[in-house]
Amino acid sequence: MRRVRQFAWLLLALVTLASLGAGLWAPADYAMQFREAPNFPPSHQHLLGTDELGRDRFSRVLYGSRVSLLMAPAAALLSTLLATLVGGVAGYLGGWWERAAMAATDLFLSMPWLFLLLAVRAMLPLNVSPITSIAVTFLLLGLLGWAASARVLCAGARGLRDSDFVLQARACGLSGPRLLAIHVMPNLRPALLAQFWISIPVFIISEANLGILGLGVSEPLPSWGGLLRELESFTSFGFEAWKLVPLVLLVLVVSSFQVILSRDEVYA
Amino acid sequence: MRRGSLALLLFFWLSLAAAFGQSGGELRFYLHSEPKTFDPLLVADDASETIRYLTGGVLVRVNRRTQQAEPELATSWTISRDGRSITFNLREHTYYSDGTPFSAEDVAYTIQRLMDPALHSPTADSFRSGPGTLRTHVDSPTRITITFPAPVAGLDKLFDQVAVVSSRSANKKRAVLGPFYVADYKPGSYVLLRRNPNYWRRDATGRPLPYLDTVRLGIQPNRDIEMMNFRRGQIDLINWLDSEYFDRLAGLAPAVVHDAGPGLESEQMWFNQVANAPIPAYKREWFRSTNFRRAVSEAINRADLVRVVYGGHAQPAAGPVSPANKLWFNTKLRAPVYDPTGALRLLQRDGFRLEGASLRDREGHAVEFSIVTNAGNKARERMATMIQQDLGKIGITMHVVTLDFASLIERITESYNYEGALLGTANTDLDPNAQMNLWLSSAENHQWNPRQRSPETAWEADIDRLMKEQASSLEPAKRKACFDRVQEIVVEQQPFIYLVNKNVLSAVASSVANASPVVLRPQTYWNIETLSVRVQTASKH
């Protein structure tokens, strides 16, 4: 298992490095349309062939990985912070605060998030650059994705609130915010980390879902979701293995996160 | 010896039947949704329309190949000089599928039922030519006169949509005059149509039509499954294919795919010119400038759109009417030539200038706008992305925004909170009268600036006048001249920037005889009476 974890770390590091250095080794701009060569198979010029508009698929995979790998952790960070604020604090305070926060969480969890996301996105201004659209997409994912983590963190904070060492610290005269900062939060850290790691693949897949619906990151910027749209009619016809690369990458990265996470959960 | 002669005779008959390929069989294809109704007068959806076409008997049929009205249940007709009345002479000795005789009373009953306000028939809308009621007069069992409250141009072709229902049959829903009747229906699964034994038409040799015994209409919304089952030989035809599927199928079995040429559908983009739309005033000024719209039009490489997005199965659009509409297309019009330099010249006339790679208006605003289109339509998304790159070459930044359809419609019809849009038009009616709700400045679907109290521009006033003139005229030549001028104005002003006319692509299994796909709906089975299916044991495409 240790070797698998090492391999997972290595893979994540490689994909991250490759995507961060996309500007160095991408053979073409991700938006450049080679209109004389749409849907071309792999060649020396285009390592993974070209997409339906003649854009170099290898370059788009590199840049698309950058978008998904950088923005998903950012969204995960935002949702974990929100979950800590709502769940962690409510669990620590208990009573009316906890009941209100958990009612809000239940309400959020019961909502069909995909439709909520579509509705919120439809209300946003239209005239935004593709980079802003990425930020908005992941910001929405982060803002709407905190509820499940909040429940976990609330339960963790509640357990700590009633624990002996917190009672003792309180008996020694430690005030609320200080108690929270010194004793509760450090002990919640493993759960926080676990929730953070869990959220990353969830947001990667959420963006991919939106992308498949044509509602993710806007053109011409690539993302894994947008790249996966090429596979919509894949089952009907011949096998073009190079088109599977974004899917394989997505599966490998999400699996790597899960493998790494399984170790963190042991400590949590 | 006698046995040998019998075998020889049997062989002879079998060979003859095989040679003609016209004996029975079952044709199978898919409806993409559940039929909403089997009542031919209430048809509003594609699936129900298919069933109406296959089962309904009409007085006049528009020949899908020649686009001319041809006699069907009416052997002849005359239109009065004032264009308000039409008199039909009906076919004699004709019977419904249940054996009930057909007469002028049935036509009168059908028209009265169609025009009943309580029925809310979508077909009736085109019969409401003006205030007043439509009257029918049965002159004899084989002759009927229908009088409209106001003159109607192209009167005879309206009856292509009206299947005559029986006034006397015990089971009115089952009694039909078309080539097939509905024999079985399993919701969510299939509709089975069986050959109408009383169908009136015969072929040139006197054999009763249709040749097919049954038509099985499976209900299958998924296009991938449709494609897969066609390849497996489980269905015999696909009425509509997109260019991607077409090319892949052509690679596997070139004989089964048919490209009938440009169809009636067009793809176009337009800018929001609504006076009170929530967009900056300087952008509205751009969008209202003819030079700006023409420059955008000239900067779009339509030939690339056709080649890359549609794999060559489309044509650069010349104007609002597709060349597929043989009667009304203005043959003088040509698609705009791709000319980025010319586009910049046009923009300079309005004070636009290039600063580095960015185009700016006379007040210094960078030219940047968004185009909305519906999410999930790959062809439109691809076109928008290509146009984005084309416009980038003349310094225009265009953002492509894909929205779910409901949000998109809300923006373009109610809140007007958008800058530009890329959508398509699916014309089903050839006559310009059907486009009144698009071209009149007061109309709801006058999308760039709908519901105007009075025309806001001189050219829109011209279009209003010409459209009304053609609608009230009974002279075909005058109508054509008016509508030709409308098309010219639209091309000059570019309120809609027409991009492409998509080709009509379909697939018909090699086992289906006499298929000859056309551009008008229903493309592959318009001549259903003469189609037949040869039995094949292992049919794969």
Side-chain angles (χ1 to χ4, degrees), chain A residues 82-213:
Chain A
L82 283 173
T84 311
L85 202 68
V86 178
V89 174
Y92 172 72
L93 293 174
W96 185 87
W97 283 101
E98 187 181 343
R99 282 198 298 278
M102 285 307 101
T105 307
D106 288 342
L107 185 71
F108 240 82
L109 284 172
S110 65
M111 284 185 190
W113 70 268
L114 184 64
F115 295 101
L116 191 66
L117 208 58
L118 294 182
V120 174
R121 197 184 177 285
M123 285 188 280
L124 292 173
L126 303 177
N127 221 340
V128 292
S129 66
I131 291 180
T132 315
S133 90
I134 298 179
V136 168
T137 302
F138 281 97
L139 185 72
L140 282 177
L141 289 174
L143 286 174
L144 299 175
W146 55 269
S149 302
R151 288 197 75 82
V152 176
L153 293 173
C154 182
R158 193 191 308 123
L160 289 171
R161 181 188 66 200
D162 300 332
S163 65
D164 293 343
F165 71 93
V166 171
L167 281 175
Q168 197 170 356
R170 202 174 275 152
C172 292
L174 213 60
S175 68
R178 229 174 140 215
L179 190 70
L180 194 69
I182 294 173
H183 291 291
V184 178
M185 280 304 165
N187 282 292
L188 264 183
R189 203 177 64 175
L192 279 172
L193 278 176
Q195 290 308 310
F196 172 73
W197 282 118
I198 286 173
S199 302
I200 293 174
V202 169
F203 290 140
I204 289 175
I205 290 172
S206 300
E207 190 280 325
N209 285 338
L210 283 178
I212 288 168
L213 293 173

Side-chain angles (χ1 to χ4, degrees), chain A residues 24-89:
Chain A
L24 295 174
W25 35 74
D29 184 85
Y30 62 81
M32 181 71 190
Q33 295 167 9
F34 298 94
R35 292 188 181 177
E36 300 308 314
N39 279 317
F40 267 35
S43 63
H44 287 301
Q45 199 186 350
H46 305 291
L47 291 177
L48 291 176
T50 58
D51 70 2
E52 67 277 356
L53 296 182
R55 296 175 294 193
D56 183 73
R57 191 176 284 109
F58 179 63
S59 306
R60 289 183 67 75
V61 169
L62 286 178
Y63 281 102
S65 304
R66 180 194 281 187
V67 168
S68 298
L69 281 177
L70 289 184
M71 297 311 287
L77 187 67
L78 176 67
S79 78
T80 312
L81 284 174
L82 283 173
T84 311
L85 202 68
V86 178
V89 174

Side-chain angles (χ1 to χ4, degrees), chain B residues 101 112 163 170 277 320 383:
Chain B
Q112 281 155 16
M383 274 199 288

